[in-house]
Amino acid sequence: MGVFTVLTRCIVQPLSVVDDELVPKVGMTFTTLEDAGKFYRNYAKAAGFSTRVRCTNRKGNEIKNQLITCSREGKWKSKISPTEKTNSTAGLNCPARIYIHTLKDVGAWIISKVVLDHSHPCCPSKAEMLKQHKELSMSICRTIENNEEAGIRPSKTYQSFVAATGGHRELNFIEKNVRNYITREVRNVSEQEDAKEFGKYFLRMKEKNPNFFFELELEEDQSIKLAFWADARSRAVFEYFGDVISFDTTYNTNRYNLVCGSFVGVNHHGQSTLLGCSLMKNEEIESFKWLFQCWLRCMGANAPKGFLTDQCTSMKRALEACMPITVHRWCILHIMKKIPSKLNGYKGHADIEQEMSHVVWNSPSKDSFDRNWNDFLLTFGLADNKWLSGNVFLKSAAEVEQAERESDAADFHTVIPCATKSSIEAQFQDAYTHAKFREVQASIFNKFVVTYDSVAAEVKCQCLLFESRGILCRHVLSVLSFEQVSQVSPRYILERWSKKVKRRHTHIKSSHDEPLMEPRSKRFDQLIFRSQNICEFASESEELTAILHRAYDNVMAEMEALKAKRKGTSSLSHEDANLKSVNELQSPPRIRTRGRPKNRLGSKLEKQIANATKKKKTKVLSEINLFDAASAAHSNSSQYQGHVMNYQFRVPAAENNSLGV
């Protein structure tokens, strides 16, 4: 095998054609060193290469001269074998450079040496892809910051820039630059500062509204062990919707592995409403006790009637100690979400999940559920499964507030039409919010028995919809219509679903934190806001546009003159704040994680349940009118006892949409 020796030498490449005004020349002078460096960078971009500062000489603290070269100057020899090296190398001993030094007693800078030739080809059309020339303007940076605040992914942000400019070629940066900016500038709070910023946030919210509530439990090293907070609006909301609370701890923070909990209620539109948030270092009984006692203090020591949680023994014991009168139940959605992990090892687990879902959601009474559940365990051979045999059966505050405001406005300005001429239906239409009136109108078909006491004006359905959700079922309404009752007793029209109640919390804003922007960013946003109106007005005609262009030119010249006059001076402004109480806070030990934090746990079953629920509600009022007394609701004479009448209904046949006895 022959041996080949490859000789290399520096081959001077022809210079790209560049406007003569941009080409550096010996004797050019500049006010500052930064101006000289910027001039050479602009030339490099036009010529198709990038630069770097090769050497800077100082005398004391003052810079005397500087050498700026092409970024492909020099040639670094790697110790890694060429066959194993994966990273590319840029150095090609390029001679292109400029040498700048200061002029004594003048305070200016002069170019004393220039080499324009390169040892490699230069391509102006590819210069924008070089790292040095990938610039993010102030406008681009503010858009990135706003999108990051809104939770928009960096890839979507970059694609919006591409769409706005007409293509990738029109941008002088790539998606990686957007991601780097977010990492470097937007998420630049260090681990040591996280806890301090957390405490400062609480102080800012407390300053905005004195009713903002927060408490912290600290370790000996001042790191956060437990935290709870609720804004003034959440505390006011509790007065109206604090009867049944759900506490959710299915999230955790990615950096410190803290458990994130949320207290959630249901408002008069059936929407979730936030009643407090928490962070916990562990899920021990004492931690939950501290949290629940703290939450009770926040809400004026008023315990809710019902409390829903996931299957956590520590939580259960803490609730028994802190709220002994409150009825505690496990949330069925939390239980159903665990099904895939608990049953995944069984053959045919998909069929098991489907049948279990049917039993859970379609058992109208406790006795029928017990029967169906036992049959389910025997059918699939699951009697020995401990988890099954032992079973007893959210958005940011700002988004929640906005959703409620939109629904309140819809209730005020619009009306859901009645499907019939029933006075009872009109009664609910007048009193209830749109969401709850739709629930009253919804038809649910199942076997049930309705008992009506005409003297006491009491009615009860076997489906227990009113007892569980506070909504009279259509079965009851059909019976009342059959009995020619024109108005429902006020006891069955709950105030919590009313659209007429003036609730105090609707006049209180959620505690929103303003982004901590630099003064320049604030000024930029203010200017953009004003200029949008001017640009919109000027764009109406060519004449108006020309006027604005002339004004821009004049203003730009005036600002550049002022900037040149003030060059070399600086100013500093700050706001005084008493933050001593939070400056000693320390963050918990950081954990190492891979990739993005997991989203809230979910499963295919949740989607199946949701889809199944939708299918059941597709029966529209036109198919069966339960408000109409003529809809075949009949009394069973064998069950008639004085003034108490029992009505028994069955599921209608597929071909027959009337109710039968």
Side-chain angles (χ1 to χ4, degrees):
M1 180 180 293
V3 177
F4 297 90
T5 301
V6 179
L7 299 176
T8 62
R9 58 190 176 91
C10 179
I11 302 175
V12 177
Q13 297 293 328
L15 191 65
S16 302
V17 179
V18 180
D19 190 333
D20 186 65
E21 293 181 356
L22 297 176
V23 179
K25 303 175 183 68
V26 174
M28 282 185 168
T29 59
F30 302 90
T31 305
T32 65
L33 180 61
E34 290 76 15
D35 289 344
K38 184 178 181 181
F39 177 83
Y40 193 45
R41 286 195 301 273
N42 291 338
Y43 162 72
K45 185 175 182 180
F49 68 99
S50 60
T51 69
R52 65 180 175 131
V53 176
R54 180 69 178 82
C55 180
T56 301
N57 293 321
R58 299 173 183 269
K59 187 176 181 180
N61 293 327
E62 294 183 1
I63 297 176
K64 292 300 182 182
N65 53 65
Q66 192 171 81
L67 175 63
I68 306 177
T69 68
C70 172
S71 60
R72 305 194 74 174
E73 179 269 342
K75 194 164 186 178
W76 179 68
K77 187 175 181 179
S78 175
K79 296 180 181 180
I80 303 174
S81 169
T83 58
E84 298 177 359
K85 185 174 173 59
T86 57
N87 294 334
S88 58
T89 302
L92 285 174
N93 289 322
C94 183
R97 65 194 59 205
I98 65 170
Y99 184 77
I100 315 165
H101 70 266
T102 184
L103 290 172
K104 294 181 180 179
D105 303 326
V106 177
W109 296 81
I110 187 170
I111 297 179
S112 58
K113 184 178 179 180
V114 176
V115 177
L116 298 179
D117 296 324
H118 294 263
S119 65
H120 55 88
C122 295
C123 182
S125 64
K126 292 188 169 101
E128 63 185 18
M129 301 308 294
L130 296 172
K131 184 178 181 180
Q132 184 182 63
H133 303 311
K134 293 172 183 174
E135 300 175 338
L136 299 179
S137 67
M138 191 72 179
S139 176
I140 294 293
C141 291
R142 290 297 297 129
T143 302
I144 294 173
E145 292 166 7
N146 290 334
N147 286 4
E148 175 68 10
E149 181 76 17
I152 299 174
R153 294 181 180 179
S155 59
K156 297 293 185 183
T157 296
Y158 177 72
Q159 289 301 323
S160 70
F161 293 138
V162 173
T165 56
H168 293 271
R169 290 180 175 271
E170 307 303 320
L171 293 176
N172 60 350
F173 59 91
I174 59 177
E175 184 178 330
K176 185 177 180 181
N177 299 119
V178 175
R179 295 182 180 276
N180 288 345
Y181 180 78
I182 292 173
T183 302
R184 184 179 67 252
E185 302 294 339
V186 182
R187 303 173 184 170
N188 64 346
V189 179
S190 66
E191 296 174 34
Q192 291 75 21
E193 297 297 318
D194 276 353
K196 295 181 178 63
E197 290 302 322
F198 189 54
K200 290 175 184 177
Y201 162 78
F202 286 157
L203 290 181
R204 290 195 301 272
M205 296 302 98
K206 186 76 173 178
E207 185 178 356
K208 285 185 175 182
N209 192 318
N211 283 331
F212 184 90
F213 182 100
F214 72 93
E215 285 191 20
L216 301 176
E217 179 84 355
L218 306 179
E219 299 280 19
E220 291 183 0
D221 62 355
Q222 296 298 295
S223 64
I224 297 175
K225 179 182 179 181
L226 299 164
F228 170 78
W229 66 99
D231 66 9
R233 189 175 194 277
S234 295
R235 300 179 75 180
V237 166
F238 180 80
E239 297 179 23
Y240 305 96
F241 309 121
D243 46 359
V244 178
I245 305 299
S246 172
F247 182 62
D248 189 358
T249 56
T250 53
Y251 297 92
N252 68 338
T253 62
N254 194 36
R255 180 175 289 183
Y256 303 111
N257 200 32
L258 296 172
V259 178
C260 182
S262 57
F263 295 84
V264 179
V266 177
N267 68 11
H268 52 310
H269 301 290
Q271 301 164 336
S272 297
T273 184
L274 197 60
L275 299 174
C277 296
S278 65
L279 289 176
M280 303 173 64
K281 202 170 184 179
N282 57 60
E283 295 184 270
E284 298 174 356
I285 296 176
E286 292 305 314
S287 296
F288 282 119
K289 280 185 178 179
W290 179 92
L291 177 60
F292 293 151
Q293 288 169 353
C294 186
W295 183 76
L296 284 173
R297 285 195 298 274
C298 175
M299 300 304 172
N302 296 314
K305 296 177 181 177
F307 208 100
L308 303 176
T309 69
D310 61 4
Q311 295 167 289
C312 176
T313 304
S314 299
M315 205 182 300
K316 181 177 183 294
R317 292 180 180 177
L319 273 173
E320 291 171 350
C322 299
M323 308 178 208
I325 303 178
T326 299
V327 177
H328 175 224
R329 292 289 184 268
W330 286 339
C331 179
I332 194 168
L333 290 177
H334 290 164
I335 295 173
M336 299 301 284
K337 281 187 296 188
K338 294 182 180 180
I339 293 176
S341 62
K342 299 294 183 180
L343 302 180
N344 203 31
Y346 287 90
K347 184 178 180 180
H349 62 86
D351 294 334
I352 296 176
E353 290 182 22
Q354 185 176 0
E355 181 60 26
M356 181 178 175
S357 175
H358 177 76
V359 171
V360 169
W361 298 107
N362 293 281
S363 298
S365 66
K366 182 181 182 301
D367 292 338
S368 64
F369 172 79
D370 291 338
R371 289 194 303 271
N372 295 338
W373 186 256
N374 291 330
D375 292 342
F376 160 71
L377 295 178
L378 294 174
T379 300
F380 290 96
L382 299 172
D384 295 329
N385 186 295
K386 294 182 179 179
W387 183 74
L388 291 174
S389 299
N391 238 324
V392 179
F393 281 95
L394 173 222
K395 295 178 181 177
S396 71
E399 292 170 334
V400 169
E401 178 189 352
Q402 181 62 18
E404 183 173 323
R405 289 179 67 247
E406 291 174 2
S407 298
D408 283 342
D411 289 341
F412 184 80
H413 293 290
T414 62
V415 175
I416 300 296
C418 290
T420 69
K421 296 180 180 180
S422 167
S423 58
I424 294 178
E425 185 181 11
Q427 187 181 5
F428 282 104
Q429 179 199 46
D430 178 66
Y432 277 10
T433 62
H434 287 0
K436 290 303 167 181
F437 180 54
R438 286 192 182 98
E439 289 188 35
V440 173
Q441 289 183 322
S443 298
I444 301 175
F445 296 102
N446 214 326
K447 294 181 179 180
F448 59 89
V449 172
V450 176
T451 302
Y452 174 58
D453 186 333
S454 59
V455 174
E458 293 180 352
V459 63
K460 185 171 184 177
C461 181
Q462 188 184 36
C463 75
L464 300 178
L465 183 67
F466 181 78
E467 287 75 8
S468 62
R469 295 175 61 181
I471 295 292
L472 272 186
C473 62
R474 294 294 301 278
H475 322 134
V476 165
L477 298 177
S478 178
V479 168
L480 294 178
S481 180
F482 180 78
E483 289 287 331
Q484 298 183 352
V485 176
S486 60
Q487 293 286 302
V488 174
S489 173
R491 77 183 75 174
Y492 298 115
I493 301 180
L494 302 187
E495 188 179 82
R496 83 170 332 277
W497 305 136
S498 175
K499 61 185 177 184
K500 296 183 176 182
V501 176
K502 303 298 182 183
R503 297 176 172 89
R504 187 169 64 90
H505 73 271
T506 58
H507 303 290
I508 305 174
K509 290 185 178 180
S510 297
S511 296
H512 307 299
D513 196 18
E514 296 179 358
L516 299 177
M517 295 189 298
E518 294 295 324
R520 185 183 179 188
S521 297
K522 292 183 178 180
R523 292 193 295 267
F524 178 84
D525 286 354
Q526 291 168 356
L527 291 170
I528 286 293
F529 180 77
R530 293 200 65 183
S531 64
Q532 285 176 344
N533 295 332
I534 297 173
C535 293
E536 183 178 350
F537 183 79
S539 63
E540 293 179 1
S541 69
E542 291 291 342
E543 293 80 6
L544 292 174
T545 302
I547 293 174
L548 183 57
H549 278 306
R550 289 195 297 271
Y552 276 151
D553 293 339
N554 295 334
V555 171
M556 195 67 185
E558 183 180 349
M559 290 191 299
E560 287 177 345
L562 180 62
K563 188 175 181 181
K565 185 187 298 183
R566 290 186 174 180
K567 191 159 285 185
T569 64
S570 62
S571 62
L572 177 66
S573 63
H574 67 278
E575 296 180 0
D576 294 327
N578 182 13
L579 302 177
K580 183 178 178 180
S581 57
V582 297
N583 279 338
E584 294 182 358
L585 292 177
Q586 300 296 321
S587 301
R590 183 172 179 176
I591 62 168
R592 294 188 177 274
T593 59
R594 287 186 176 181
R596 297 173 56 202
K598 293 183 178 179
N599 293 326
R600 178 185 170 125
L601 298 175
S603 67
K604 291 182 178 178
L605 185 60
E606 286 187 74
K607 296 179 180 178
Q608 292 174 356
I609 293 171
N611 292 335
T613 305
K614 287 181 181 178
K615 290 179 180 178
K616 290 173 185 175
K617 292 184 178 180
T618 53
K619 293 276 188 180
V620 295
L621 293 174
S622 59
E623 296 180 15
I624 179 168
N625 180 4
L626 290 179
F627 281 112
D628 190 352
S631 294
H634 299 289
S635 64
N636 188 331
S637 57
S638 63
Q639 295 179 329
Y640 183 80
Q641 298 177 354
H643 57 267
V644 178
M645 185 76 73
N646 286 345
Y647 294 82
Q648 189 168 359
F649 293 79
R650 67 171 184 266
V651 180
E655 302 83 8
N656 183 10
N657 284 333
S658 61
L659 291 176
V661 179

